[in-house]
Amino acid sequence: MREGSVIRVPGLGGQGNPPGDLLLVVRLLPHPVFRLEGNDLYATLDVPAPIAVVGGKVRAMTLEGPVEVTIPPRTQAGRKLRLRGKGFPGPAGRGDLYLEVRITIPEHLTPEEEALWKKLAEVHHARA
């Protein structure tokens, strides 16, 4: 089903002899994860800051379930990663899934992690 699709139910419409057809227009509720454009799906992908810097793998949700996505080193916030054929099915085939990267930083740090982040900040400031 697509937004705006019409379902015809014969004989359940308005008064008449014979009764007319009932026409139902499909309206889709927003999905909590995906946004649909044509056959392509769009979603946000949270990537921890260290993975965005050095690269690695994170899990992403698709219509079929979770998959591992490779994050290239030095990935910036807002970058879109495309998963071919993981979009919405349609008559001409499946669309793609576009994941927009959102960089996340940890809310809670161990003392060791905090010391590493401080050291990284010092190195960065020394280079600037």
Side-chain angles (χ1 to χ4, degrees), residues 18-33:
D21 295 342
L22 173 64
L23 300 178
L24 304 170
V25 178
V26 174
R27 297 285 178 240
L28 299 177
L29 295 174
H31 191 276
V33 175

Side-chain angles (χ1 to χ4, degrees), residues 87-99:
F88 200 76
R94 262 193 118 96
D96 297 328
L97 170 59
Y98 292 90
L99 300 169

Side-chain angles (χ1 to χ4, degrees), residues 75-121:
T75 293
Q76 298 292 321
R79 179 174 180 174
K80 288 187 177 69
L81 304 172
R82 180 170 67 174
L83 301 183
R84 292 180 194 262
K86 294 292 185 182
F88 200 76
R94 262 193 118 96
D96 297 328
L97 170 59
Y98 292 90
L99 300 169
E100 184 173 345
V101 171
R102 178 171 58 189
I103 310 262
T104 60
I105 59 171
E107 291 185 28
H108 306 286
L109 298 172
T110 66
E112 180 185 15
E113 290 170 328
E114 184 149 355
L116 289 169
W117 280 101
K118 285 181 180 178
K119 180 65 176 167
L120 182 60

Side-chain angles (χ1 to χ4, degrees), residues 5-94:
S5 295
V6 177
I7 301 170
R8 181 182 303 273
V9 184
L12 292 181
Q15 299 284 343
N17 192 4
D21 295 342
L22 173 64
L23 300 178
L24 304 170
V25 178
V26 174
R27 297 285 178 240
L28 299 177
L29 295 174
H31 191 276
V33 175
F34 302 111
R35 179 174 48 86
L36 180 64
E37 289 185 19
N39 284 351
D40 293 330
L41 293 173
Y42 293 82
T44 301
L45 180 64
D46 288 336
V47 176
I51 301 293
V53 174
V54 300
K57 294 191 181 288
V58 297
R59 297 191 111 206
M61 186 54 67
T62 71
L63 291 177
E64 292 82 29
V67 297
E68 278 198 341
V69 176
T70 300
I71 306 300
R74 288 168 290 293
T75 293
Q76 298 292 321
R79 179 174 180 174
K80 288 187 177 69
L81 304 172
R82 180 170 67 174
L83 301 183
R84 292 180 194 262
K86 294 292 185 182
F88 200 76
R94 262 193 118 96

